[in-house]
Amino acid sequence: MSDYKFIAGDKKWWRQAVVYQIYPRSFADLNGDGIGDLAGMIDRVPYLKSLSIDAVWLSPFYPSELADGGYDVADYRNVDPRIGTLEEFDKLIEELHKVNIRVFVDIVPNHSSDQHEWFQAALKAGRGSPERDRYIFHDGIGENGDIRPSELVSHFGPTGWTRVTEPDGTPGQWYLHLFAPEQPDFNWDNQEVRDDFIKTLRFWSDRGVDGFRIDVAHALTKDFSDGLPARSTMDIDPTKPDGSDPLFDRDEVHEIYRQWRKVFNEYNPPRVAVAEASAPAHRLGAYASEETLGQAFNFDLLHADWNTKRFKHLISNSMKRAEKSGSSNTWVLSNHDVVRHPTRYGLPDKTDLVKWYISEGKSAPLDAKQGIDRARASTMLILALPGSTYLYQGEELGLFEVADTPREAMQDPQWFRNPGKARSRDGCRIPLPWATNQSALGGSSFGFGPGGSHLPMPADFGKYSVAANEADTNSVLNLYRTAIGMRKGLQCAEEIKFIFNWNRSVLHFARPNGWQSFTNFGKSPVKLPKGKVLLSSQPLVGNQVPGETTVWLQA
Ligand code: NOJ
Ligand code: CA
């Protein structure tokens, strides 16, 4: 086990950090089996260091049947043998800490895999057993119990209930799953469940993990005292934005996080956490307080069109919320669940992304230049804001969403279980291209590894590779490296002041130390304001800021 050492920097490092999300199966494959692995990450630590990031967040790497890309965890305190070993995990932490990069791991507490030993035990133990009490089992309706307990749908398809076969071979009870049937929900009223997650948090904290990303953090506690929910969507009930929805964002969930906080604070430095919670904006602060998880993702920008007014409104609201909860802001443009942002910005406004994906990218024209220009500008904009920025692997290469993956190669349950209704998240999970030449390492995966890749990589992926980016001084990668590096030296108090501009396409603000960010959302050039230019997402033309460009200035 690695001997955890305090990394230089203050205890509040997470408040203004740049965190890079690694989707382990698609990052780097050292042994050539087509699946990214821990050894591949260790090999690429110098690359991670070159990004000047403060931390990485590893999406699940635990043993899993991969019914949901690893978010179906079969053993919370181990590594999937296809990805590596615990020893390799320790080595990775050690190597990352040596270069001052901290590590977040993903905790998936709402549900386990159906292959988890507890769920297997629940199946064997039968009705009314303590083993079944760790999950949410109910009898079906009707004389034979063959009608599902309620009309609840799941995130991934038509029903949130699946029937089991009892140990004696007869059709039996039903269990609840908000996601795929292979992801049974835990019963958080059960003390053993609570204790086991504390054990997991300690297990990884003892190994030197610095922080945790909490999956579906708003769904753990449920209250069925008014009957089983029979809803047809998985969104929080808009008439219950106050903690009274039976499935989501109940006030009781914070008791769990207050207990976790005590565990985090046993460590030096205290472990940190970020909640993935789709709760109403005014309730996110409760997840982000110092007594609970400390930070919560703000996903507003994932759904925002490229529009000055919209961005300004979302930024102001987020600043107010952060002030109220005492937490810091979080900024996210992409992750492993959404269409990559250069694609979102390159498609006409209001494009139906599901339809676009289903049509293999043919239902609407993609303006790639516009997509990348806006992506470069928006990244610089969010990096200049107070708070933490969460980046998703591949965005630093300018990767677009892949919509034409052969349908037989798809892996995402969201795709299989909602025929004709949902996109596949595989489009943003294609392995990273490292080399320009497809067979650079002898395999066929653009340097991802010496073999193939678990999801097919498009033939033109080489032009987005790390090598191609490195060879071009104006590349997206070089912009990310410069901007993130420069940001470190510019950090100051978590405040901004908007600067008025007559042009309604301009979003201009200043930080207390005189660092300014100026974004031209429009297509026509606008006049550069006074100040020393530090960096620009596009080359300036004389004293004009080109369209869809962000410039940083020092007043
Ligand atoms: C959110 C994760 O980001 C997503 O990938 C996953 O499918 C669900 N939670 C279920 O765990
Ligand atoms: Ca591998």
Side-chain angles (χ1 to χ4, degrees):
M1 192 179 297
S2 80
D3 175 22
Y4 179 71
K5 291 188 191 67
F6 185 88
I7 304 177
D10 77 299
K11 289 193 176 185
K12 302 278 182 192
W13 64 270
W14 51 274
R15 292 187 68 97
Q16 305 212 54
V18 177
V19 185
Y20 178 89
Q21 179 189 357
I22 292 184
Y23 193 74
R25 287 175 185 79
S26 298
F27 184 69
D29 168 27
L30 204 78
N31 67 359
D33 63 356
I35 299 169
D37 42 45
L38 293 175
M41 291 179 214
I42 296 170
D43 192 46
R44 301 296 182 177
V45 167
Y47 174 75
L48 295 167
K49 178 170 181 254
S50 80
L51 297 173
S52 296
I53 50 174
D54 301 292
V56 293
W57 144 33
L58 308 181
S59 275
F61 49 81
Y62 315 110
S64 169
E65 290 299 299
L66 302 182
D68 181 20
Y71 283 89
D72 47 320
V73 180
D75 179 354
Y76 289 87
R77 297 185 285 273
N78 216 333
V79 175
D80 187 326
R82 287 165 291 191
I83 292 186
T85 62
L86 277 171
E87 289 66 37
E88 282 170 326
F89 181 83
D90 293 341
K91 178 84 182 144
L92 174 65
I93 299 248
E94 198 178 316
E95 294 301 317
L96 286 168
H97 282 172
K98 272 190 205 156
V99 295
N100 274 357
I101 296 178
R102 283 132 163 136
V103 183
F104 283 73
V105 298
D106 221 309
I107 296 292
V108 189
N110 180 65
H111 44 266
S112 71
S113 155
D114 61 349
Q115 301 304 309
H116 191 284
E117 62 167 330
W118 275 6
F119 192 74
Q120 289 300 314
L123 292 180
K124 286 195 199 92
R127 195 181 252 108
S129 60
E131 286 83 351
R132 282 214 176 163
D133 189 58
R134 295 171 182 143
Y135 293 90
I136 304 175
F137 279 87
H138 276 268
D139 290 330
I141 301 170
E143 209 180 313
N144 304 315
D146 50 8
I147 302 169
R148 54 191 171 147
S150 80
E151 291 301 304
L152 178 74
V153 298
S154 88
H155 274 286
F156 294 151
T159 174
W161 294 101
T162 291
R163 195 170 197 188
V164 303
T165 303
E166 296 299 346
D168 64 4
T170 56
Q173 286 194 294
W174 301 68
Y175 64 90
L176 180 137
H177 50 90
L178 294 185
F179 293 88
E182 296 88 350
Q183 294 168 292
D185 279 41
F186 279 119
N187 169 17
W188 274 88
D189 289 334
N190 181 295
Q191 193 56 39
E192 278 183 280
V193 170
R194 293 189 180 222
D195 294 346
D196 199 63
F197 273 90
I198 298 277
K199 201 167 156 189
T200 296
L201 296 174
R202 286 218 173 90
F203 178 86
W204 295 109
S205 298
D206 288 344
R207 297 193 104 87
V209 162
D210 307 86
F212 300 96
R213 178 263 189 194
I214 313 302
D215 189 66
V216 221
H218 59 305
L220 276 46
T221 51
K222 301 173 178 83
D223 182 350
F224 299 158
S225 50
D226 288 338
L228 295 173
R231 65 216 300 163
S232 57
T233 96
M234 267 291 125
D235 295 327
I236 192 161
D237 183 339
T239 66
K240 294 183 172 155
D242 53 2
S244 62
D245 185 292
L247 289 174
F248 300 118
D249 188 37
R250 298 196 59 83
D251 292 334
E252 306 90 88
V253 80
H254 300 297
E255 279 163 31
I256 299 171
Y257 301 137
R258 279 191 286 272
Q259 212 193 345
W260 289 13
R261 171 52 55 194
K262 287 196 189 118
V263 175
F264 298 153
N265 289 351
E266 285 169 14
Y267 291 86
N268 183 18
R271 300 322 191 224
V272 304
V274 57
E276 188 228 17
S278 346
H282 70 280
R283 291 185 50 96
L284 278 177
Y287 296 82
S289 90
E290 284 194 9
E291 286 83 50
T292 58
L293 296 173
Q295 224 178 32
F297 284 132
N298 167 5
F299 288 147
D300 290 347
L301 292 178
L302 298 183
H303 312 290
D305 283 338
W306 178 252
N307 174 295
T308 330
K309 216 168 137 192
R310 187 85 195 120
F311 267 62
K312 189 170 175 190
H313 172 76
L314 295 176
I315 292 166
S316 311
N317 280 354
S318 178
M319 295 291 303
K320 280 185 211 140
R321 288 204 304 265
E323 204 178 55
K324 221 166 137 194
S325 70
S327 174
S328 63
N329 293 281
T330 58
W331 307 107
V332 190
L333 292 169
S334 274
N335 63 33
H336 64 297
D337 289 332
V338 301
V339 171
R340 284 186 176 276
H341 63 278
T343 301
R344 299 202 308 269
Y345 292 150
L347 289 169
D349 274 2
K350 317 275 176 246
T351 298
D352 180 329
L353 294 171
V354 172
K355 272 200 197 135
W356 174 81
Y357 188 91
I358 291 173
S359 75
E360 299 189 20
K362 296 190 189 91
S363 72
L366 176 76
D367 181 337
K369 178 175 180 324
Q370 174 184 293
I372 281 295
D373 288 355
R374 292 178 175 184
R376 295 169 67 111
S378 56
T379 297
M380 276 185 62
L381 190 165
I382 61 169
L383 284 171
L385 288 165
S388 294
T389 303
Y390 286 83
L391 306 174
Y392 175 51
Q393 72 176 38
E395 66 168 90
E396 80 281 16
L397 305 177
L399 283 186
F400 286 86
E401 185 80 2
V402 177
D404 57 358
T405 296
R407 278 21 192 172
E408 64 280 5
M410 297 291 202
Q411 299 176 11
D412 183 7
Q414 181 172 286
W415 173 258
F416 299 117
R417 298 186 181 279
N418 295 283
K421 287 202 201 117
R423 57 178 267 275
S424 164
R425 296 168 298 174
D426 293 322
C428 60
R429 300 175 179 180
I430 309 291
L432 291 192
W434 294 86
T436 314
N437 178 346
Q438 183 158 12
S439 51
L441 288 181
S444 59
S445 60
F446 297 98
F448 166 65
S453 64
H454 69 101
L455 277 169
M457 297 166 78
D460 70 345
F461 240 34
K463 72 177 188 216
Y464 302 103
S465 62
V466 174
N469 266 274
E470 282 182 337
D472 170 6
T473 40
N474 289 323
S475 67
V476 180
L477 178 59
N478 281 320
L479 179 73
Y480 270 66
R481 283 178 172 159
T482 311
I484 301 168
M486 198 178 267
R487 175 190 197 268
K488 279 205 151 85
L490 290 167
Q491 280 308 347
C492 57
E494 294 173 41
E495 287 162 32
I496 56 167
K497 215 173 94 204
F498 287 108
I499 300 173
F500 177 77
N501 194 297
W502 286 107
N503 188 326
R504 293 210 278 172
S505 300
V506 166
L507 185 61
H508 187 187
F509 60 86
R511 299 284 297 269
N513 60 353
W515 173 23
Q516 296 187 10
S517 174
F518 180 100
T519 303
N520 175 9
F521 278 75
K523 291 272 183 203
S524 324
V526 294
K527 193 164 162 263
L528 180 71
K530 283 206 194 77
K532 182 178 162 233
V533 173
L534 301 174
L535 186 66
S536 177
S537 65
Q538 305 289 341
L540 300 175
V541 186
N543 70 344
Q544 299 282 303
V545 180
E548 314 198 311
T549 297
T550 295
V551 189
W552 287 354
L553 303 128
Q554 183 69 51

